[in-house]
Amino acid sequence: GTSHVVMPNANCDEIGSSGAALEWLLREYDLERGLAACEFVPFFQPIVMIEDRSIAGFEALARWRHPERGLVPPSEFIDLGERCGLIRHIDLAIIAEACRLLRQATPVGATPFLSVNLSAQHFTDFGVVASLSKILSDTGFDPAHLKVELTETALVQDPRKAHEVLTQIKGLGVTIALDDFGTGYSSLSYLHSFPFDVLKIDQSFVRQLGKPGRTHDIVETIIMLANRMGMLVVAEGIETPDLIPPLQQLGCTFGQGYHYSRPVPASELAGLLAR
Ligand code: C2E
Ligand code: MG
Ligand code: MG
Ligand code: MG
C-alpha cells in the first residue's frame, strides 16, 4: 500500500534510541510471554558432602526453554527480569517447580535439601513470605529441607527490612544461605547481624586454593569463622579434584561444581540419586 512510514533524516539519533527502547520492550514482552507459557524451568546441581561425595542436596538454577533460542542461561535473562520487575515471578515459578520436581524424584526416606535463589527485590516487602508459605503447602515440601540463597546485594539497600524478611522466612522453618561470599561487600558485620545458616564461598575464591598467594589464608579464615559461628560452608565452583584435599583440611563440609556434576534437568534427578 501507500502507508509507509518515512522517517525524516534529521531524526536519525531519535530513531537509534527508540530502536533500543523498542528492543527492550520486545525482550520484556518475550519474557512475560515465556513466563505465561511456563518456559522457565529449574535445573538441579548436586551439593555434595566433600568427605564421601554423597549428595546432600541440590541447588535449583533457572533455565529458559525458549521456543526459538533454545536453552537460555540466567546470564541472559536475570538482568532483564530485574529491570522490568518480572524477576520475582521467575524466582517463584522456579521455586514452586523445583519443590514439586524434587519431591517427585526423591525416594521415600531420602531427604536431599533444595537450595533456591532469591533476587534482592524480594527483600523490600513481605510478599515473598506468603508466597513461600503457599509454595510449601501446595507442594507438600518439607520447609526444613528448603534453603533460600541470597547475596549481600539483598541486604545493603534496606538492612532493617531485609533482616525482618529473613526472620519471617526462618519462621516458616526454612534456612538461609549467603551466596557468592567474597565477591560483594563481604562485611563481617553482616555475618554477625543476619541469621545465616549456610555460607557459600564464591568460586573465584575456591579456585585460588593451593595456589601461592593470600587467598588460601582468606578462605581458611572464612571457613574457620563460619564454623565457629555455627554455619555450614559450601565451596562453589569445584572444577578439579585437586581442590578437595585443601577444602577437607580446612573444614569445609559441602562442595558444588562441575567436578561432581553440572546442573541437570529434572529427568536426570532420579538417576543421580540412585548413583
Ligand atoms: P549462583 O547462585 O552463584 O549459582 C552458581 C552458578 O555457578 C550457576 O550458574 C552454576 O551453573 C555455576 N557453576 C556451578 N559449578 C560450577 C563450576 O564448577 N564451574 C563454573 N564455571 N561454574 C559453575 P548459572 O546456572 O548460570 O547461574 C548463574 C547465576 O544466575 C546464579 O549464580 C544466580 O545468581 C543466578 N540465578 C540462577 N537461577 C536463578 C533463579 O532462579 N533466580 C535468581 N534470582 N537468580 C538465579
Ligand atoms: Mg545460588
Ligand atoms: Mg553462588
Ligand atoms: Mg553467582
Side-chain angles (χ1 to χ4, degrees), residues 41-43 45 59-63 73-75 77-78 82 87-88 90-92 94-95 116-120 122 149 151 179-180 200 202-203 207 236-240 256-263:
V41 295
F43 269 39
Q45 186 177 35
E59 177 172 4
L61 293 158
R63 300 288 182 266
S75 55
F77 60 82
I78 298 283
E82 281 176 346
I87 191 67
R88 295 192 201 204
I90 296 175
D91 287 351
L92 293 169
I94 294 297
I95 297 171
V116 296
N117 293 284
L118 277 187
S119 148
H122 289 284
E149 299 189 4
T151 63
D179 204 355
D180 299 351
K200 299 191 75 174
D202 191 70
Q203 48 188 53
R207 292 235 179 87
E236 302 193 84
I238 301 178
E239 289 184 355
T240 50
Q256 178 180 0
Y258 296 167
H259 169 65
Y260 297 109
S261 170
R262 294 202 171 239

Side-chain angles (χ1 to χ4, degrees), residues 2-197:
T2 54
S3 59
H4 287 100
V5 178
V6 179
M7 296 287 197
N9 281 341
N11 277 353
C12 267
D13 281 358
E14 267 176 55
I15 294 167
S17 68
S18 67
L22 181 63
E23 170 76 32
W24 273 109
L25 204 65
L26 289 174
R27 289 183 61 197
E28 180 180 335
Y29 177 77
D30 195 36
L31 198 73
E32 211 169 330
R33 183 202 54 72
L35 251 175
C38 301
E39 288 169 5
F40 291 88
V41 295
F43 269 39
F44 296 84
Q45 186 177 35
I47 297 175
V48 308
M49 303 276 303
I50 291 183
E51 190 175 55
D52 62 2
R53 301 175 63 106
S54 62
I55 294 178
F58 294 92
E59 177 172 4
L61 293 158
R63 300 288 182 266
W64 184 1
R65 285 195 197 280
H66 195 282
E68 284 137 31
R69 296 163 67 195
L71 199 62
V72 180
S75 55
E76 290 180 40
F77 60 82
I78 298 283
D79 273 2
L80 176 65
E82 281 176 346
R83 282 200 209 197
C84 68
L86 287 173
I87 191 67
R88 295 192 201 204
H89 299 282
I90 296 175
D91 287 351
L92 293 169
I94 294 297
I95 297 171
E97 197 56 5
C99 284
R100 188 181 74 76
L101 291 164
L102 184 58
R103 196 157 183 245
Q104 196 174 291
T106 306
V108 183
T111 51
F113 65 76
L114 177 66
S115 220
V116 296
N117 293 284
L118 277 187
S119 148
Q121 289 183 12
H122 289 284
F123 294 89
T124 56
D125 64 61
F126 294 113
V128 68
V129 181
S131 302
L132 288 176
S133 173
K134 181 165 191 315
I135 289 172
L136 289 166
S137 61
D138 286 353
T139 59
F141 198 89
D142 180 355
H145 293 141
L146 186 64
K147 298 186 195 304
V148 156
E149 299 189 4
L150 62 133
T151 63
E152 284 151 301
T153 328
L155 310 175
V156 286
Q157 264 199 344
D158 188 347
R160 192 180 291 249
K161 187 81 187 185
H163 191 280
E164 282 180 63
V165 174
L166 281 182
T167 305
Q168 291 204 17
I169 291 177
K170 285 198 73 151
L172 299 172
V174 171
T175 51
I176 312 288
L178 184 59
D179 204 355
D180 299 351
F181 189 75
T183 59
Y185 305 86
S186 299
S187 159
L188 290 180
S189 74
Y190 286 137
L191 284 190
H192 130 103
S193 2
F194 288 87
F196 304 121
D197 304 283

Side-chain angles (χ1 to χ4, degrees), residues 242-260:
D242 56 293
L243 297 172
I244 293 166
L247 282 170
Q248 236 176 330
Q249 185 231 321
L250 294 177
C252 181
T253 313
F254 298 106
Q256 178 180 0
Y258 296 167
H259 169 65
Y260 297 109

